[in-house]
Amino acid sequence: MIFGTVLRAVASALVALKLRGNETDSLRLAVLFRWLLLRLPTILIFLLPVITQAQQSTAQVEKLFASGVQALKDGRLEEAEKTFQQVLQQSGKAPFVHHNLGIIYQQKNEQEKAVTQFREAIRLQPDFGEARLLIGHSLLALGKNAEAVRELEQAAKLLPKQPQARIQLAKAYERTNNWFGVVEQLRGLRDLEPASAEYAYQLGKAYNQLSEWSYQQIIRVNSGAARLYQTLGQNYLLQGKYELAILEYQRAINADPKLPELHLALALIFLEQKKFAAAQTEIELELKLVPESKTALAVKQKILAAKG
């Protein structure tokens, strides 16, 4: 194999020189090429022990690596660690070996050491998605949330069908109060496993957290915003406290008379209370704001039908 590579290189050089028209250099290379061919058996005799030794060394390293993997699977962490360190000493840098060492340190809860090993695996192989996923886990354990987000975002791109990548990224987004990101990742999980009740539950929980976060942001930006009163009205409505809900919706209308959905909500409340005249007044006001609203038109038909 080695000699064949040399011959191909010489032949390529010979062709290149001929194309350039350098006859002197071309002749010299031709002589060298013939010399190599004549002495091929002798050269192979000298190379054979070197090649055999390299093959044996590779086989020994592979066997050593396999024993380390088995020790890791069996939970013999100290033995696995020593074995993988020996593999590195004998074979040099290898991303999978550093990755496995990172797993060992994670299981021993030595997260800083784990991060060091995963970083080396990623340096050697930047598209190593599993290493980015596990380093994200260790960084979260260390409270390095911003770094964890960066690594886990890369992991999710490299492992788009791996649920754990999205789960860990959602956790990192939650730690950094990025509730839009949390919802996005949990929706992705639902797409991967539509029948999962757990993912549906977590997505609903995330939507509630996003709603609460949005509510707090409205208060921070403008404590008298119409949307704030609207949110309060919706909460009272869910609790069945209709009078308080009506009061908050009316406050929202006073804050922003042109905001859609407010008169619609009041119309529905009055319809539920069988206050048909009030309901019709509110739905007409809603239709003045959004005359094309199919929802408002449907509610108007319900009110008219209920009035008889």
Side-chain angles (χ1 to χ4, degrees):
M1 182 186 297
I2 296 172
F3 195 72
T5 302
V6 173
L7 290 178
R8 285 193 295 272
V10 173
S12 298
L14 180 59
V15 171
L17 287 170
K18 281 185 175 180
L19 289 174
R20 289 205 305 263
N22 191 331
E23 295 181 0
T24 302
D25 289 341
S26 177
L27 181 60
R28 289 173 181 172
L29 272 175
V31 172
L32 174 60
F33 193 71
R34 285 195 293 272
W35 181 86
L36 287 171
L37 284 174
L38 291 172
R39 286 158 179 76
L40 177 59
T42 305
I43 293 173
L44 286 177
I45 290 172
F46 285 104
L47 285 177
L48 188 60
V50 177
I51 295 170
T52 303
Q53 183 178 1
Q55 290 174 338
Q56 290 175 347
S57 177
T58 301
Q60 289 173 355
V61 170
E62 289 176 352
K63 185 177 180 180
L64 190 62
F65 178 78
S67 69
V69 171
Q70 189 59 52
L72 176 56
K73 288 181 179 178
D74 295 341
R76 293 178 277 119
L77 300 183
E78 298 297 336
E79 179 183 339
E81 180 183 355
K82 290 178 181 177
T83 302
F84 289 132
Q85 293 288 3
Q86 289 176 9
V87 172
L88 287 177
Q89 290 172 4
Q90 294 183 27
S91 65
K93 303 293 185 180
F96 279 97
V97 180
H98 288 289
H99 177 72
N100 286 345
L101 280 169
I103 293 173
I104 291 169
Y105 293 132
Q106 268 193 347
Q107 292 188 16
K108 293 168 70 174
N109 200 29
E110 297 178 7
Q111 303 296 348
E112 291 284 4
K113 287 185 177 181
V115 167
T116 299
Q117 294 301 324
F118 290 132
R119 284 204 191 287
E120 184 62 15
I122 292 166
R123 186 186 69 80
L124 294 169
Q125 185 178 330
D127 63 347
F128 199 161
E130 289 80 2
R132 289 189 183 276
L133 171 57
L134 292 182
I135 196 175
H137 178 81
S138 289
L139 289 168
L140 284 175
L142 292 168
K144 298 179 179 180
N145 301 323
E147 291 181 54
V149 166
R150 289 194 293 271
E151 295 295 347
L152 290 168
E153 284 177 340
Q154 290 298 314
K157 290 178 182 178
L158 293 167
L159 306 169
K161 294 184 179 181
Q162 168 58 264
Q164 276 301 319
R166 291 186 178 276
I167 290 171
Q168 293 298 319
L169 181 53
K171 185 183 295 185
Y173 281 146
E174 183 176 349
R175 295 273 189 91
T176 54
N177 288 320
N178 181 357
W179 290 103
F180 289 104
V182 174
V183 168
E184 180 185 4
Q185 294 308 311
L186 292 174
R187 286 178 65 181
L189 282 171
R190 284 283 291 150
D191 292 340
L192 288 174
E193 298 185 29
S196 172
E198 178 62 22
Y199 293 160
Y201 168 77
Q202 293 295 338
L203 179 57
K205 183 179 176 182
Y207 274 123
N208 286 334
Q209 292 289 346
L210 176 60
S211 177
E212 178 63 26
W213 176 84
S214 300
Y215 178 72
Q216 295 298 328
Q217 293 302 305
I218 293 171
I219 293 175
R220 184 178 65 83
V221 174
N222 182 3
S223 59
R227 291 297 190 188
L228 177 60
Y229 297 125
Q230 182 183 12
T231 302
L232 290 171
Q234 290 170 343
N235 289 336
Y236 283 131
L237 188 58
L238 290 172
Q239 298 173 45
K241 299 178 180 179
Y242 294 117
E243 297 307 317
L244 290 174
I246 291 169
L247 179 62
E248 295 302 335
Y249 280 120
Q250 288 172 339
R251 286 177 175 173
I253 292 168
N254 291 335
D256 188 352
K258 295 183 179 180
L259 186 65
E261 301 178 4
L262 302 176
H263 291 291
L264 174 63
L266 286 173
L268 288 168
I269 293 173
F270 291 138
L271 177 60
E272 179 70 20
Q273 294 178 331
K274 301 186 185 306
K275 297 178 180 179
F276 302 124
Q280 187 167 356
T281 299
E282 294 298 336
I283 204 62
E284 294 295 349
L285 290 171
E286 180 74 14
L287 285 167
K288 284 184 179 180
L289 294 173
V290 281
E292 74 287 354
S293 171
K294 293 181 180 179
T295 303
L297 289 169
V299 171
K300 180 178 180 179
Q301 292 301 317
K302 287 184 179 181
I303 294 170
L304 294 174
K307 287 178 65 176

